[in-house]
Amino acid sequence: NIGYPMLSDEQAQIVRQLDLLDPTQPPGRRHNGLPVPTVLFLSPQGEVLAKLGDANYRVRPAPEVVLATLDSLR
């Protein structure tokens, strides 16, 4: 009962197009195909304006970095 659409990328097609694959997970490993946690800033037309992420899945962009990136796009 979530109040928003949930999208699935079972074959990791979008993840690959956006270059978000976790580089630490080589083919044959259980987690190969998983994306790096990423914040994407998109235009209304779907163009990627900015991308924040880190190859280490435990590292997330700080809120002030997200807000500064958003401000820079205005």
Side-chain angles (χ1 to χ4, degrees), residues 4 13 15-16 26 35 39 43 49 55 60-61 64 69 71:
Y4 53 87
Q13 292 175 346
V15 168
R16 288 182 199 341
V39 176
S43 73
L49 303 174
R60 301 293 199 274
E64 55 272 10
T69 302
D71 285 342

Side-chain angles (χ1 to χ4, degrees), residues 1-70:
N1 291 334
I2 58 174
Y4 53 87
M6 179 70 75
L7 304 177
S8 179
D9 187 16
E10 291 182 29
Q11 303 303 316
Q13 292 175 346
I14 302 299
V15 168
R16 288 182 199 341
Q17 287 177 3
L18 294 172
D19 193 28
L20 300 177
L21 279 180
D22 184 343
T24 67
Q25 302 300 322
R29 298 262 327 252
R30 177 176 156 221
H31 296 294
N32 177 259
L34 289 179
V36 171
T38 305
V39 176
L40 294 172
F41 296 85
L42 304 174
S43 73
Q45 296 76 31
E47 174 190 7
V48 177
L49 303 174
K51 181 168 58 169
L52 301 175
D54 193 287
N56 182 343
Y57 73 92
R58 293 181 176 157
V59 175
R60 301 293 199 274
E64 55 272 10
V65 172
V66 173
L67 293 174
T69 302
L70 181 59

